[in-house]
């Protein structure tokens, strides 16, 4: 096992812990904006998982998927934030 294998393993462990804590915050988040931020963090973590897996396999076929998920996460976050802003504005 090379040092790079240990680095990949440590990266997957840290990303898994980050995903666990983010999902816990997503479930417990007291406000809608907290949940929006957590969903954005989850999409970033998914992109990170796929990027590390692409590096492990040394395969460039995943880059289209990476860009697609990143754009969907960004647009989804913008849409949810705009909805939350309008909802707060309507309430007064």
């Amino acid at each position: 096992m090379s040092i790079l294998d240990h680095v990949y393993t440590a990266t997957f462990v840290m990303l898994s812990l980050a995903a666990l804590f983010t999902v816990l915050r997503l479930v417990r988040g007291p406000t809608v904006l907290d949940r929006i931020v957590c969903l954005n963090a989850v999409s970033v973590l998914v992109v990170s998982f796929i990027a590390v897996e692409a590096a492990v396999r040394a395969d460039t076929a995943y880059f289209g998927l990476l860009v697609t998920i990143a754009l969907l996460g960004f647009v989804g976050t913008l849409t949810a934030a705009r909805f939350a802003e309008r909802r707060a504005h309507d309430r007064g």
Side-chain angles (χ1 to χ4, degrees):
M1 221 173 161
S2 70
I3 188 73
L4 202 54
D5 292 332
H6 293 293
V7 171
Y8 288 143
T9 303
T11 303
F12 279 125
V13 168
M14 287 187 279
L15 285 172
S16 298
L17 286 173
L20 175 70
F21 291 137
T22 304
V23 169
L24 286 175
R25 186 63 187 173
L26 180 68
V27 171
R28 294 189 62 209
T31 66
V32 173
L33 292 177
D34 287 335
R35 291 186 172 100
I36 291 170
V37 170
C38 286
L39 283 175
N40 187 24
V42 166
S43 70
V44 168
L45 288 170
V46 167
V47 168
S48 300
F49 271 113
I50 295 171
V52 171
E53 184 64 28
V56 168
R57 295 177 187 254
D59 190 8
T60 60
Y62 292 107
F63 290 127
L65 181 65
L66 288 172
V67 170
T68 303
I69 292 174
L71 284 174
L72 285 174
F74 177 71
V75 171
T77 301
L78 285 180
T79 304
R82 177 176 269 180
F83 174 72
E85 179 186 15
R86 285 187 182 171
R87 191 168 141 192
H89 179 66
D90 291 342
R91 287 186 178 170

